[in-house]
Amino acid sequence: MSLATSFKPLFTALATASRTSGKPTTSKELIWHLTEEANSKTIEDNINKQHEAMISAHTKSKGESNNLKGKSKAKDSRHCSNCNKDGHTDDQCFTEGGGMAGKAPEWWVKKNGGKSKGKGKGKSANAAE
């Protein structure tokens, strides 16, 4: 007979009880104990799955992502001295005088109307990621 190793403690308890009492365990008793143990394992597995689902839902509702793996996203402290905007540095700046001047991606050119804005002028952060 082959059963999962999780049933071993049950067999040990039944064998001990049988030896102590001097009475053998009947087939009917054995089947009852095995059924009870299997039902208990099923209930325990279902509870564990429900707990995992609740933890997952709670984690998502708190805005924690699996991609972050427990790390929080720190506020970007970079500041550009060329255009006076936050989110990038002057070597990443697309505006005239910046390290990436003339190398702006198409989305940035469209967003800014193709204009290079000087120091402190304009409304966009001009960030290169």
Side-chain angles (χ1 to χ4, degrees), residues 41-99:
K41 294 286 183 195
T42 301
I43 290 169
E44 185 178 328
D45 289 345
N46 287 337
I47 289 170
N48 288 339
K49 287 177 186 175
Q50 289 173 351
H51 286 172
E52 288 174 13
M54 286 189 296
I55 289 169
S56 177
H58 178 72
T59 301
K60 287 179 183 175
S61 72
K62 290 284 187 181
E64 299 170 14
S65 168
N66 290 339
N67 295 336
L68 295 178
K69 296 182 182 173
K71 298 177 185 175
S72 62
K73 196 172 184 180
K75 185 177 179 189
D76 194 347
S77 62
R78 297 177 296 171
H79 181 79
C80 178
S81 58
N82 182 53
C83 68
N84 203 28
K85 303 287 180 186
D86 293 328
H88 65 281
T89 56
D90 56 341
D91 63 321
Q92 298 169 320
C93 188
F94 298 134
T95 61
E96 186 178 325

Side-chain angles (χ1 to χ4, degrees), residues 26 28-29 36 42 55 60 67 108 122:
T26 66
K28 189 176 182 177
E29 290 172 332
E36 286 297 306
T42 301
I55 289 169
K60 287 179 183 175
N67 295 336
W108 189 89

